[in-house]
């Protein structure tokens, strides 16, 4: 009888430990599932940041690597035309820069839409830019081989 009384707390402890392990496993699985849902958007936001950095560094070839082969922009601008446009702006202005506003991201299975505002500026190195313009920007992104590629870009002057 004495052994049975001593065994009961052990059984309860084992049951609690087993239920605690299941609770931990369930919590870990739900956290991993939540992370998996956030991962594509985080990767897309990182890709947008990388594209903005390439523009800021005035590197047309790096910019082009973010563009899908069938990229299309305003006025029928294609992938090669976008690289040439970036190179022309880099030659025209000794200093260029871009500042973007908060990103509004709409995710789907393997594509996404990103809306933002952008301020583009170009200058000759003085205190003030020679030119600056604010734009409303809408971009379409597509997941290709695990990497977000810019498939379309539309921009419109805000002023």
């Amino acid at each position: 009888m004495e052994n049975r009384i001593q065994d009961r707390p052990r059984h309860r402890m084992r049951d609690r430990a087993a239920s605690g392990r299941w609770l931990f496993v369930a919590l870990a699985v739900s956290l991993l599932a939540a992370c998996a849902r956030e991962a594509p958007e985080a990767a897309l936001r990182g890709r947008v940041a990388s594209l903005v950095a390439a523009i800021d560094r005035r590197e047309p070839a790096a910019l082009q690597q973010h563009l899908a082969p069938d990229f299309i922009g305003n006025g029928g601008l294609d992938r090669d035309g976008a690289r040439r446009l970036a190179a022309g702006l880099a030659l025209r202005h000794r200093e260029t820069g871009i500042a973007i506003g908060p990103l509004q991201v709409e995710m789907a299975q393997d594509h996404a839409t990103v809306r933002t505002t952008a301020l583009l500026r170009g200058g000759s190195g003085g205190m003030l830019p020679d030119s600056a313009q604010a734009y409303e920007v809408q971009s379409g992104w597509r997941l290709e081989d695990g990497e977000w590629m810019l498939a379309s870009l539309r921009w419109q002057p805000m002023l």
Side-chain angles (χ1 to χ4, degrees), residues 108-129:
Q109 183 81 16
D110 59 351
H111 62 277
T113 301
V114 178
R115 290 180 179 81
T116 191
T117 56
L119 176 64
L120 296 177
R121 60 194 182 283
S124 58
M127 291 290 284
L128 297 173

Side-chain angles (χ1 to χ4, degrees), residues 63-83:
L63 171 136
Q64 189 179 28
Q65 295 197 359
H66 291 81
L67 307 180
D70 60 345
F71 168 81
I72 188 77
N74 284 19
L77 184 71
D78 65 3
R79 187 173 193 255
D80 195 47
R83 183 192 50 77

Side-chain angles (χ1 to χ4, degrees), residues 4 10-11 43 45 57 71 78-79 95 98 104 134:
R4 275 195 217 156
R10 286 185 193 159
H11 287 298
R45 286 177 179 273
R57 289 189 314 265
F71 168 81
D78 65 3
R79 187 173 193 255
E95 291 187 13
I98 181 171
Q104 298 171 354

